[in-house]
Amino acid sequence: AVQEASKALFLGQREGQIHAQAYAARDLAIALSWAGDLDGGEQWAIQALEMSRRITINMNVDTEIRSEAVKVLGDVAMRRGQFTKALGHYEAALGTFPFLGGGARKDLARLNIASAQARLKQPQARTTFTDLSEAGDPLVRMSALRGLALVQMDTGEVGPAAATAARLQAVA
């Protein structure tokens, strides 16, 4: 993924296509973050944000790139243990992506927010995890059940956490 994004960045630079460069920078941010290169992921997310501000051809392209880049910044902050910063990035990413629509993609964004809230001991996390534990998408449902079980364990609710874990096993 890093090689493909690097190639796309080179081609975008060669052709002077800022939107191609911004997409490639976003893709590099995602790939490097997933690979564990948090500094690289952060650097390319910031580059993608800067490039997206110069796009004039299509507002949706600009918004999509910004949303994904800000989400990467949230992922990086979360993995660094900077939960307040992660929460701010995740909320900003969801707020800048108005055409996100419903379904699993929006639910996954809500899970990111709830995960940061849980780390910060904010009660809203339980509500979001509970709501999403009935989601139609199995990945969303499993992630929500895992989050809910962790919140329950964190608050000393061993019995409910065991019941939630059993629900999780049934989904898996």
Side-chain angles (χ1 to χ4, degrees):
V2 172
Q3 284 182 329
E4 294 303 316
S6 297
K7 192 183 308 180
L9 181 65
F10 170 76
L11 293 173
Q13 288 171 335
R14 188 177 75 187
E15 301 298 321
Q17 296 179 355
I18 190 65
H19 64 283
Q21 294 174 53
Y23 270 115
R26 181 217 47 196
D27 292 348
L28 278 168
I30 292 168
L32 291 170
S33 172
W34 285 351
D37 181 355
L38 301 183
D39 292 338
E42 181 179 49
Q43 174 189 8
W44 282 106
I46 291 168
Q47 287 287 335
L49 287 170
E50 290 172 1
M51 290 175 189
S52 74
R53 291 185 185 102
R54 299 192 325 244
I55 295 175
T56 58
I57 58 168
N58 184 332
M59 190 57 151
N60 287 343
V61 169
D62 170 44
T63 304
E64 180 181 357
I65 292 167
R66 280 188 291 126
S67 178
E68 295 285 343
V70 172
K71 189 232 179 256
V72 169
L73 293 174
D75 293 346
V76 167
M78 190 75 164
R79 288 165 70 191
R80 288 179 174 160
Q82 300 167 333
F83 306 122
T84 302
K85 190 174 184 180
L87 178 59
H89 286 308
Y90 289 145
E91 288 174 338
L94 186 59
T96 61
F97 209 3
F99 58 95
L100 190 63
R105 191 166 184 180
K106 186 171 186 176
D107 289 343
L108 290 171
R110 291 178 60 210
L111 282 170
N112 288 335
I113 291 169
S115 295
Q117 289 171 333
R119 296 292 192 130
L120 293 167
K121 312 286 191 234
Q122 294 181 357
Q124 307 94 306
R126 178 188 298 265
T127 303
T128 302
F129 286 140
T130 300
D131 290 348
L132 294 175
S133 70
E134 301 297 327
D137 184 274
L139 174 62
V140 171
R141 194 167 53 248
M142 289 181 349
S143 296
L145 288 167
R146 180 182 177 279
L148 181 58
L150 291 173
V151 167
Q152 290 166 330
M153 287 298 294
D154 197 40
T155 56
E157 302 169 62
V158 177
T164 301
R167 286 178 59 203
L168 175 58
Q169 286 182 332
V171 174

